[in-house]
Amino acid sequence: MRQKPAWVTRLAGRIHRGVLDPMYDSNGRERAAFGRLVTQGLTAIIAMVAVGWIAFLWEHTEAIRVRREVAQRESAAYCQQLNHEACEATKSAAMQARAEQDAVDAAVWQIWLNVAGLLGLGATVLYARRAWREAERSAKAATEALDHTRADAAAQADRFSQQLAVANRQVEIADDTAKKQLRAYVYVERMDMLWLDDGPVFNVVFRNSGATPAINLRAGAEIVFCGPADIPPMPENISMGRIQFIGASATRKNQVYTANRSGVSKESISFENNINVFGRVQYQDIFAQTFETEFAFYTHTAEPDEEGMVAMIGHRAAFRAVT
């Protein structure tokens, strides 16, 4: 058996080394099994087919060439010993053998072309494999870049949301501060008790210390008797009467009638039995917000002054918004 040519051995070695490329990427993770198996399988098949055909053609071609040379020498020597007709028959047989040899040579070239096609296919598969690996790396890099972009966008959106919340809070604080600076503040500044035939009435001086008018003003009060050391609670239900409005930084004087004033006499008032007047005043500011101010005045004497009034002492005031 003839030894294979050196170029065949080198070609097989190169194809074998191509099959044994590293099977792990730069991160140490295993590649996709499908792509690896397909590439290695096709490479191995092409290598085996190419080496087998090359070896077969080499042996077969050499054997045919040797047989043809031997047959030509024998036919030439044999033809010299024969007559003309036998020699012609021998020449015809030699020509037929040469024609068969030419057919074999053509088939050999066709096979060589097929081998070249297989090698080209193998090279195409190898390049396709490399292109697939590069595409895989590019897709992985694009995915990582997209993940980073999404994370950065989420972080920026979170920072923007926090900044927007801070800005909104600052706007709310500024708006609330402006409203507090501009709104109306109404309270009872003074209260005097005046005695009528059917009971006491109360002259009340309302003051608006705010920078804007108070509108839809309403006020009401009730009488409560108690000792000097007692502080009774504010009545829950107080009848309210309309007083219209008070301008900015202005006062307004109105009489306030209590629903339970009938039956109250001067004799019922003493140091041990003080008369208390509890009440509320409600109003709206220019921002349509309703507020309420509680007030409380008391006295332990029923003796009027020169104008017939009994000055009462205030001891409670509270401003609060009405929801």
Side-chain angles (χ1 to χ4, degrees):
M1 183 176 180
R2 292 176 60 86
Q3 186 177 1
K4 297 179 182 178
W7 65 272
V8 175
T9 305
R10 288 196 300 271
L11 177 62
R14 290 178 181 178
I15 296 176
H16 184 67
R17 287 193 299 272
V19 174
L20 297 178
D21 282 345
M23 298 177 62
Y24 294 89
D25 60 15
S26 59
N27 293 328
R29 289 176 293 191
E30 191 175 2
R31 295 175 183 170
F34 176 77
R36 186 174 66 253
L37 291 177
V38 170
T39 303
Q40 294 181 355
L42 290 177
T43 304
I45 291 173
I46 292 172
M48 289 188 294
V49 171
V51 172
W53 271 110
I54 289 172
F56 171 76
L57 290 176
W58 182 268
E59 298 290 342
H60 187 66
T61 302
E62 289 295 327
I64 291 176
R65 185 175 292 109
V66 170
R67 286 198 300 271
R68 184 179 66 176
E69 291 176 357
V70 172
Q72 288 178 352
R73 287 195 297 268
E74 289 179 353
S75 63
Y78 184 71
C79 184
Q80 294 177 358
Q81 302 174 5
L82 299 176
N83 56 22
H84 179 71
E85 293 181 357
C87 185
E88 290 297 328
T90 303
K91 290 181 178 181
S92 296
M95 293 179 61
Q96 185 177 359
R98 284 196 295 271
E100 293 177 354
Q101 178 63 35
D102 292 338
V104 170
D105 292 340
V108 168
W109 281 107
Q110 183 64 38
I111 292 172
W112 278 108
L113 291 176
N114 292 336
V115 170
L118 289 175
L119 294 176
L121 177 61
T124 303
V125 170
L126 291 176
Y127 280 112
R129 180 185 176 219
R130 292 180 181 178
W132 172 77
R133 291 170 58 189
E134 292 298 328
E136 185 182 31
R137 294 192 186 100
S138 300
K140 180 181 178 181
T143 301
E144 292 177 352
L146 180 59
D147 292 339
H148 289 309
T149 302
R150 288 177 177 173
D152 292 340
Q156 292 178 359
D158 185 61
R159 288 193 296 269
F160 177 76
S161 176
Q162 294 177 356
Q163 293 173 357
L164 181 61
V166 172
N168 289 335
R169 180 56 182 164
Q170 291 175 347
V171 170
E172 292 176 359
I173 294 174
D175 183 66
D176 185 64
T177 302
K179 287 182 178 180
K180 288 180 178 179
Q181 291 175 347
L182 296 175
R183 55 159 281 204
Y185 289 88
V186 177
Y187 62 96
V188 176
E189 184 179 58
R190 177 182 174 87
M191 178 181 289
D192 295 318
M193 183 171 58
L194 176 65
W195 287 98
L196 299 179
D197 294 338
D198 56 349
V201 296
F202 302 94
N203 292 334
V204 179
V205 178
F206 298 95
R207 174 173 289 277
N208 178 13
S209 61
T212 54
I215 60 176
N216 298 328
L217 197 69
R218 300 170 66 244
E222 283 192 8
I223 296 174
V224 177
F225 285 94
C226 67
D230 298 330
I231 301 178
M234 179 68 66
E236 295 184 359
N237 298 318
I238 298 177
S239 299
M240 310 287 283
R242 185 175 297 275
I243 310 178
Q244 299 303 325
F245 72 97
I246 303 177
S249 301
T251 60
R252 185 184 184 94
K253 187 176 183 179
N254 280 82
Q255 283 191 346
V256 175
Y257 290 83
T258 59
N260 59 346
R261 68 188 185 89
S262 60
V264 177
S265 62
K266 294 180 181 180
E267 290 75 16
S268 59
I269 302 172
S270 65
F271 186 80
E272 290 79 14
N273 194 27
N274 297 341
I275 182 172
N276 293 265
V277 179
F278 292 89
R280 293 186 180 93
V281 54
Q282 289 186 354
Y283 58 95
Q284 285 185 334
D285 62 3
I286 60 173
F287 305 105
Q289 176 68 49
T290 301
F291 293 90
E292 182 180 89
T293 304
E294 296 179 349
F295 60 88
F297 289 80
Y298 75 96
T299 182
H300 54 77
T301 178
E303 295 298 327
D305 57 14
E306 295 178 355
E307 297 179 358
M309 300 289 183
V310 179
M312 303 190 70
I313 303 172
H315 63 89
R316 178 183 294 184
F319 300 94
R320 60 187 177 91
V322 178
T323 57

